[in-house]
Amino acid sequence: MKMVKHITLGIVISLIIIGLDYTFRLSKNAEPQKLITTSTIHNIEFVQIPTGEFTIFMPITESVVGLSYIEKDVTFTKPFAISKYEITRKQWQDCTDDGICKNAKRQRSWQTPNHPMTNISWQDAATYAQWLSDKTGENYRLPTEEEWLYVAHEGKPYTPKKFVDEDLLFKQDIRREETKSKGDFGANNWGVHDMNGSTTEWTLSCWRASKGKSLEYVDTAILKDRRECGIRILQGNDRVHLPYFIKNPIGGGCSTGKVPSHVGMRLVKEL
């Protein structure tokens, strides 16, 4: 009888320990939501993102059987802030009015000033980030691919896609795709909107051809250098790597082309 009591007590204690451990892990996973703070700078809202560890999947080969991925473990030792929404046409206009950014393309009938600013090259996006940095005395830049994925998936494990339409970005129907107004796709649990929206977003990250180079950590100060690489990564519903889209046919070489109409941006503020 005593043995039964001891076994029962042991089971109860084990369940309590498991329950406490599960509760701890739940509260730990829920912690990022408590750390969210929003600040508004120059009419751009930013959400603070917590530190943490994360694994991203980077495609390296593609075949008839699907994509092959490598895993890259990333640790975010410092919090950062990311814009709550993609940069809008109205926010872009502030930079244009200062004579720094190019004029936005004519506003379509279905667009409003609160639609994402699109048809922009990586160089255009980098110029906007530098303009805001100079204007405020603070450090703004594009998010790295690792930061973008970390925010999009709320720091949780995810399963990469098996197939990607390699011609997705260049199809004519995509070039004419209508983007939606900011916030139309809702927010994730970290309070960041439209990560799964109709706009594909530039990142700071360079495309690397080899597995070894893809796994290397490159400091953001290096990535901000416009001369660091000619092909940058975009993130959205699909991962795409694209050149700068230099439009001068003499100096542009293989980088000559038009920016797809749904390519936009959001910003990171370094804390």
Side-chain angles (χ1 to χ4, degrees):
M1 188 69 177
K2 288 183 178 180
M3 183 176 292
V4 173
K5 286 183 178 179
H6 284 309
I7 293 173
T8 304
L9 181 61
I11 293 172
V12 171
I13 292 173
S14 298
L15 289 173
I16 291 172
I17 292 172
I18 292 170
L20 287 174
D21 179 62
Y22 180 67
T23 301
F24 172 75
R25 283 187 282 117
L26 277 181
S27 62
K28 188 176 180 182
N29 288 338
E31 189 177 0
Q33 297 183 45
K34 298 178 183 178
L35 293 176
I36 289 176
T37 57
T38 302
S39 59
T40 304
I41 300 161
H42 211 70
N43 296 319
I44 304 172
E45 293 180 275
F46 286 86
V47 174
Q48 182 172 316
I49 304 301
T51 58
E53 297 178 351
F54 190 60
T55 300
I56 70 169
F57 297 88
M58 306 179 72
I60 53 171
T61 59
E62 185 176 3
S63 67
V64 292
V65 295
L67 289 170
S68 295
Y69 288 89
I70 54 173
E71 295 183 19
K72 183 176 183 179
D73 296 325
V74 185
T75 300
F76 298 96
T77 58
K78 294 181 180 180
F80 60 92
I82 194 166
S83 52
K84 187 175 181 179
Y85 306 98
E86 292 149 340
I87 299 303
T88 65
R89 294 176 62 88
K90 182 178 180 181
Q91 291 162 342
W92 185 272
Q93 188 60 43
D94 293 337
C95 182
T96 301
D97 291 343
D98 277 357
I100 303 299
C101 291
K102 71 175 188 180
N103 289 322
K105 286 200 170 183
R106 179 179 58 84
Q107 187 168 297
R108 305 287 183 85
S109 59
W110 46 268
Q111 286 179 318
T112 71
N114 281 328
H115 270 70
M117 177 61 188
T118 53
N119 286 105
I120 53 176
S121 69
W122 189 90
Q123 296 278 20
D124 297 331
T127 296
Y128 183 89
Q130 187 60 54
W131 163 79
L132 188 62
S133 297
D134 294 340
K135 193 86 171 175
T136 62
E138 298 172 314
N139 293 321
Y140 296 94
R141 57 172 172 78
L142 293 170
T144 63
E145 179 178 29
E146 292 86 348
E147 290 168 338
W148 196 98
L149 288 168
Y150 182 58
V151 174
H153 295 285
E154 304 159 10
K156 300 174 183 176
Y158 70 99
T159 302
K161 293 183 178 182
K162 187 174 182 181
F163 295 96
V164 172
D165 184 348
E166 61 183 5
D167 295 323
L168 177 66
L169 207 61
F170 297 100
K171 288 182 176 177
Q172 289 302 310
D173 57 337
I174 296 298
R175 284 186 180 276
R176 294 193 294 266
E177 182 180 358
E178 294 184 5
T179 56
K180 304 296 182 183
S181 184
K182 75 172 188 178
D184 277 3
F185 291 90
N188 64 15
N189 289 327
W190 282 3
V192 183
H193 289 247
D194 305 330
M195 299 296 283
N196 62 337
S198 55
T199 303
T200 304
E201 302 175 17
W202 284 111
T203 75
L204 197 64
S205 298
C206 294
W207 177 75
R208 308 293 187 186
S210 69
K211 176 180 176 180
K213 288 289 186 182
S214 296
L215 291 174
E216 287 180 359
Y217 168 77
V218 183
D219 191 87
T220 54
I222 295 175
L223 291 174
K224 285 171 68 175
D225 188 336
R226 298 173 187 238
R227 300 165 297 179
E228 174 61 15
C229 64
I231 302 177
R232 302 280 176 161
I233 300 294
L234 295 101
Q235 274 290 350
N237 287 326
D238 285 294
R239 180 187 194 260
V240 185
H241 54 270
L242 293 175
Y244 280 167
F245 287 101
I246 302 169
K247 293 186 178 181
N248 180 350
I250 298 176
C254 62
S255 295
T256 302
K258 294 182 179 179
V259 183
S261 63
H262 64 298
V263 171
M265 64 177 289
R266 73 175 72 226
L267 288 175
V268 153
K269 178 189 177 186
E270 296 182 346
L271 301 178

